[in-house]
Amino acid sequence: MNYIDLTEQDEKKPLILQRADPHIYYHKDGYYYFTASTPEYDRIELRRAWSIKALSDAQPVVIWRKHATGPMSWHIWAPELHFINGRWYIYFAAGRSEDPWWIRSWVLENSSPDPFCGQWEEKGQLVSEWDSFMLDMTVFEHNKKLYAIWAQKRREKTENSALYISEMENPYTLKMPQTLLTVPEFSWECKGFRVNEGAAVLKRNGKIFVTYSASATDASYCMGLLSADENSNLLDPASWKKNANPVFVTDEKTGIFGPGHNSFTTSRDGKTDYLIYHARPYADVDLDFALYDPNRHTWVKKIVYDKSGFPIFQ
């Protein structure tokens, strides 16, 4: 079979137009699976292909639509596809028509070996220690334990969102207590809004790296980085170190504005890591309506590592 490799030229143009919060998952069946927020925020789509590049031409299939009213009826955001213990799961955020900004995290489950077949069952809301604005759930396995990282408004309500981590009882139940990872504190995290969100996990070179997005969703949007030793207690805040500077920001020369809300995937041989992220091709956007500007496109970028084993994104 002819697999299409990504080139440097592919990094200079969007992979998929008008798909924000992109998530690519490479599965053992040999397919790359793609999901993301749609401009209408009303559904969850999947597409798949034998290569990352071929995802651009793959036909999307709608596997779930928003409810007419109540929870899960508005702002269907940032779906992620994961395969855990022989079942497929999609984590996503959603509001409700009665209050579109009542955003919480939800999960779907499918027991079919093929996520395009079978039934997607609504497993319900992922419940944290307190009820507040909550989104961008991601999960990962490490040392035979399942963890979740998500963004949530703190009890103190001093920021729009901070990042938390916890173990999971199962793929649809958080295990308390939850641990605070980071709050917006640097100026680059507080432009327009005080935001830490959109976490993604990369395990490499003896480290657990967590990227996240900060500030408002205009050209201020950027990526930060946390890191922990792979043998440390991931639920201990002291295990994590936070970069004082962002690791990926707007670059006018390359036409990348407001990069963020990324995921990670690899080449088929596992030797090359890729950053999958969204960005706009222009800076001029009304902050009040930035979330409804459809032109946050999916881009892909090869990751290189420095002498210390840390990823370089810019």
Side-chain angles (χ1 to χ4, degrees), residues 282-296:
Y282 49 80
D284 188 17
V285 60
D286 186 336
L287 186 55
D288 290 336
F289 299 98
L291 285 173
Y292 306 104
D293 178 326
N295 293 319
R296 291 187 294 172

Side-chain angles (χ1 to χ4, degrees), residues 170-182:
N170 54 51
Y172 45 86
T173 308
L174 300 175
K175 183 178 181 180
M176 297 293 104
Q178 62 195 62
T179 298
L180 178 65
L181 283 181
T182 171

